[in-house]
Amino acid sequence: HHSYQFNRRSPPPDGLPDISGHVGTVRMEPYRIRWSTRWVPDQSGIQILARIQDTDGVWYVTEPVRDLRLARAHHRVRFYKPSQVPERFWVRAGRSMSSVVVIPEGEPLGQAVEATVHLRTWNGARENFTLNGLTFPIGGGDHVFADTAVRVPVAALKEGENRFEFRSDTDHHGPEILWPGPSLTVRYRK
């Protein structure tokens, strides 16, 4: 049994919390954001809202803008979910564990231009994983939570099962791969 204390980064000088994985943050006029959808999968039914903090520190949340759709003229983005994810996905002391992402038959991998593995980990620093036998750094922090995107070559991907393997030789606390497990996002040209 382990107990953990999350290391929190100090807030930015203006006191706003540090948030990641969102459309963006604006702290000065003209309060406009250009949303980078480079790795957002093609989809419909998207909802966006704004969180606003006034000069007194009070937070407001707007009504969502609903039913937005991403449709791109020159490329498409696909998200592939993890499967066969161990319930306790933690490796140490020479132990290995794996999970799978299935790319369905018929996907145009020959038109793939970029691929990213998304990992949520605890203590992933200085450790590696393999994808179909090729080695990549996990990234992340030392004894801290991290939400990491690791670029991988499209040549590493294949139709069917793409196997992720994690191993650590440390006798101390090795990396934990957090739910939902490693996932894969691929950008294709049309």
Side-chain angles (χ1 to χ4, degrees):
H1 177 57
H2 298 280
S3 62
Y4 308 113
Q5 178 177 3
F6 284 85
N7 298 328
R8 299 186 73 184
R9 287 188 271 169
S10 53
D14 57 13
L16 292 175
D18 186 18
I19 299 173
S20 64
H22 65 299
V23 171
T25 300
V26 177
R27 294 189 169 107
M28 296 175 11
E29 288 186 38
Y31 304 114
R32 291 186 185 141
I33 291 176
R34 176 175 228 125
W35 181 20
S36 173
T37 60
R38 180 180 193 92
W39 292 107
V40 179
D42 296 350
Q43 60 191 293
S44 58
I46 297 171
Q47 298 183 36
I48 296 178
L49 57 81
R51 292 179 349 134
I52 303 164
Q53 186 179 36
D54 71 13
T55 56
D56 294 326
V58 176
W59 285 95
Y60 301 89
V61 178
T62 66
E63 287 295 318
V65 175
R66 300 178 193 278
D67 297 322
L68 299 174
R69 187 176 104 167
L70 284 178
R72 299 167 174 106
H74 304 292
H75 69 275
R76 67 186 189 104
V77 179
R78 292 281 310 225
F79 174 76
Y80 302 102
K81 296 189 259 185
S83 63
Q84 302 176 24
V85 179
E87 185 175 336
R88 294 190 62 188
F89 208 162
W90 173 33
V91 293
R92 63 176 287 278
R95 196 167 100 196
S96 297
M97 297 183 92
S98 64
S99 66
V100 168
V101 168
V102 175
I103 296 179
E105 188 175 322
E107 288 290 278
L109 284 174
Q111 296 174 355
V113 292
E114 295 180 286
T116 299
V117 172
H118 299 276
L119 294 165
R120 299 179 68 227
T121 59
W122 173 267
N123 195 36
R126 298 180 301 279
E127 299 284 354
N128 296 310
F129 71 92
T130 63
L131 168 59
N132 297 328
L134 299 174
T135 303
F136 304 94
I138 292 174
D142 186 7
H143 291 84
V144 71
F145 168 81
D147 190 0
T148 310
V150 180
R151 295 285 293 274
V152 296
V154 295
L157 308 178
K158 61 183 183 177
E159 280 187 0
E161 288 191 356
N162 290 267
R163 182 157 303 277
F164 291 89
E165 180 132 1
F166 295 83
R167 183 178 192 286
S168 178
D169 289 324
T170 183
D171 288 330
H172 302 286
H173 195 107
E176 294 181 42
I177 295 72
L178 306 177
W179 192 258
S183 62
L184 186 61
T185 306
V186 180
R187 283 176 27 92
Y188 296 92
R189 71 178 168 274
K190 283 188 175 179

